[in-house]
Structures are given as C-alpha cells and as structure tokens.
Amino acid sequence: MSGQRKDDHLHLAAGQQRQLHRDPVPTDWDDVRLLHEALAGIEAEDVDLSVTLPWAGERGPVRWPVPFYLNGMTGGSEHTGAVNAALGEAAAATGLPIATGSMSMYLKDPSTLPSFRVLREANPEGFVMANLSAEATPDQARRVVEALEADALQIHINAVQETVMPEGARGFSAWCDGIAALAEQLPVPVVVKEVGCGMTRTTLAKLARAGVQLVDVAGRGGTDFARIENDRRDGRDYAFLQGFGQSAPMVLLDALGARAGTRLPALLASGGVRHPYDVVRGLALGARAVGVAGTFLHAVLAEDPAGSAGPVAPDGAERLTGLIRAWTERLRELCALLGVRTPAELTRTDVLVEGRLAHAAALRGADLAALAARSETTAFEEDRA
C-alpha cells in the first residue's frame, strides 16, 4: 500500500465526482419523496439539529451538533495530507465530525502519520474518527486510536473493492470475528462501515451479534471503488462490477423490513449524498446521521480541466466551511418546513418510495404503504395518550 496508490485513489475519486457534478444522474435517493403537509411548518429557531449516538466513550454519550458528518476519504501521502488539512480546518470551523481514510498504511509506514494526524492538529477539540480495515488486530487498532487521539474507530469492510484491487485480499472469513474482538476490547466506540456497496439486514444482524452498536451502511451511488480499482487494472476486466451492491436508501428500507424481534444496530447512512434534502431523506428512513464524502471533497480541490485530483484550492478550506454552514441552515429550514423539531422526529413523517427502489424494497418485505402514512399512526397514538 503505497503513497502513490493513495494518490491514485484520490485522483480517480475526484474524477468521478467531477463527472457527477458535470453530468448528474438520478440515484435511488431520487425515488424517496417526503409528503408535503402545507400546515405542518414550525419556526426554524425552534429546530435543534443535534443528535445523540447510541454509544458512549470516555467523555460520555456522544452528541453531534448536526445530523451529518464528513466521512473518511484519504491520507498516506503529501498530497492527501494537504487535502486532510483543508478538511480538518473546515471541520474545526463548523464543529462537523470527521473521519480519516484508512490508516492501515500508517501501521506499515509510521512516517505517513502526519498526513492523517493533521486532521487532529487542525481540529484539536473536534470529534475525529480513525479508520482501519476489518483485518486489524485490537493492538493495531489501539495504536491508531492513540496516534490520532481518536474519539471513535471506523472499521471498513470492502470485500468488493478488495476483489477488484490488483493487490487486494482474497479471504474474508475472519472479518466478523475480528470485528467482534475490536468492539469488545477497544476503549473507544466502534462504527463499522461499508465503502460503497451497502449491506443487507442479515449483515446488520450479524454485526449486532458481534457487539457493534452503530453501522454506516455506505451504499452505492457515490464514489465507486470497484470502478476505481478496475481503472487501476491493466486489462480493466472487472467492469461488470461497477455499480455493484445496494444503495443507502435501499439498505435503510431493508432494515425496516426486518422481522419483529430482530436486533439491529443503529444506522448511519452514506453514499452519493449530494445536498441537504438527501440528508433529510436518510434521516426520514431511519439513519441517525448521514455521511458526506465526495461532494465535500469536490469543494476543496482546485478545478483541473484534465480531470485529475489537482491541488487543494487556496481557498478550499474556506469554501468547504461555507458549504457546511449552508447545509446546516438548509437542514434547519427543511425541518421547519416539515414540522419537526429534531432529526429524530423525521422518522414520523410520511415518505413515498417510488420507482425501482420501491420495487426492490417491496421484494425485501418493506411495508411501503405504512411508511407513506405513518404520521396518521403517530397522530392516532398521541390522541389515545
């Protein structure tokens, strides 16, 4: 795992984001529509955007000021370190939780630590998550957490990426037991995340049995790591896996279709989040918070006609700071429009699921009719109380 590979990943991910911004395409998020109640609105100043997550670290229950966060992207080279510096500066200015990219490289080459550590140095009081693969041992995970002074650890699972990656792993059977050991032994909270192919409720139930309390379902629709790794292959012979997996809204709906009594972790959602309405959609489908990566990466990089990642823009951190603040205000306004005072109350709103997403979710047992009329059920229960 070399710094060049990290730069390649950033270059290819940035190219995908530029293509999506230039030629946007519909995604599963567009099949999710919140019903408009014309007299539901409240005062924006009465909205509290903060969320409390269902695990506790040494500082007590974890509370984030907003229901979205800057998901892990990169680190491991001089270029990616400059990107992380800009991301960390914007996170510090806005209070936005943030994660590193995979720090597995640091375990093999400690000299790369500054490219990750800059997230903490730029953001000394913020909530920062380290990131490792499911192959990490508890000792390795503790080393990473201590090196970053991390508040939590993301464990990424990426079997599809590893399969397409020329130098990737080909054995995944030990991952679940490894995750259970990390969840049990680490002194900080653990969140397990996919890297863009989503999960099923069966996977979520396995993670719950492994002791994991919070999972980022990280579905397809954003940065496509199967495509990235295929572009690194000489023969590009894995093109058929581009777009493989489930979207984040599909996973959230799949979880809603779980059998009564099935224990699932609390969920975060990421993958192809383009604007604040996508955040609202994810929260309405049951996510505690929503992760954003590629859209925010696009904000910090200089424009490059050649399509490469290019350098960090001189005002990249400032641009991203402004964008995060704008998203926060738009979220507050959307909550006021929908008549909800907290992000959690979005799970009482009526949601229409349409198109191919509705078809797939219905096949998996999601009760879409109940989802479309759940505010009536909530109102009935409140009247009885």
Side-chain angles (χ1 to χ4, degrees), residues 184-237:
E184 179 182 8
Q185 297 183 38
L186 284 189
V188 297
V190 169
V191 53
V192 174
K193 73 181 294 287
E194 238 286 347
V195 299
C197 292
M199 303 183 186
T200 65
R201 56 179 179 256
T202 302
T203 299
L204 295 173
K206 286 181 179 179
L207 290 170
R209 292 194 294 271
V212 176
Q213 295 177 284
L214 192 64
V215 173
D216 182 345
V217 301
R220 64 175 172 81
T223 301
D224 187 335
F225 277 95
R227 177 181 167 188
I228 283 175
E229 299 300 350
N230 190 55
D231 285 345
R232 296 178 62 240
R233 298 179 68 91
D234 290 339
R236 290 178 168 78
D237 49 341

Side-chain angles (χ1 to χ4, degrees), residues 144-204:
V144 163
V145 167
E146 291 170 1
L148 195 68
E149 299 176 73
D151 300 287
L153 179 69
Q154 283 186 339
I155 297 298
H156 68 260
I157 49 178
N158 62 334
V160 176
Q161 181 188 11
E162 294 285 353
T163 298
V164 183
M165 188 188 304
E167 64 274 54
R170 297 295 184 271
F172 316 116
S173 60
W175 282 8
C176 198
D177 288 343
I179 288 169
L182 293 168
E184 179 182 8
Q185 297 183 38
L186 284 189
V188 297
V190 169
V191 53
V192 174
K193 73 181 294 287
E194 238 286 347
V195 299
C197 292
M199 303 183 186
T200 65
R201 56 179 179 256
T202 302
T203 299
L204 295 173

Side-chain angles (χ1 to χ4, degrees), residues 298-337:
H298 183 76
V300 303
L301 297 179
E303 295 294 332
D304 187 345
S308 71
V312 174
D315 61 344
E318 182 179 342
R319 290 192 330 206
L320 180 54
T321 297
L323 181 60
I324 293 169
R325 287 175 174 159
W327 277 45
T328 301
E329 286 307 305
R330 297 300 85 76
L331 280 172
R332 192 181 310 280
E333 293 161 356
L334 285 169
C335 285
L337 170 68

Side-chain angles (χ1 to χ4, degrees), residues 79-91 114-116 118-119 122-123 312 317:
H79 185 198
T80 59
V83 172
N84 276 342
L87 299 177
E89 184 178 334
S115 67
F116 300 102
V118 68
L119 282 178
N123 189 20
V312 174

Side-chain angles (χ1 to χ4, degrees), residues 67-105:
F68 65 105
Y69 57 99
L70 213 164
N71 226 339
M73 284 185 268
T74 195
S77 69
E78 182 178 355
H79 185 198
T80 59
V83 172
N84 276 342
L87 299 177
E89 184 178 334
T94 59
L96 197 69
I98 190 170
T100 71
S102 174
M103 292 182 66
S104 299
M105 187 174 178

Side-chain angles (χ1 to χ4, degrees), residues 28-63:
D28 278 0
W29 290 115
D30 297 310
D31 284 338
V32 179
R33 183 158 59 91
L34 275 70
L35 280 181
H36 172 53
E37 297 288 352
L39 293 176
I42 61 173
E43 307 304 313
E45 62 190 30
D46 292 333
V47 174
D48 177 5
L49 290 177
S50 65
V51 292
T52 300
L53 302 181
W55 29 242
E58 294 179 358
R59 297 188 294 186
V62 174
R63 180 180 175 275

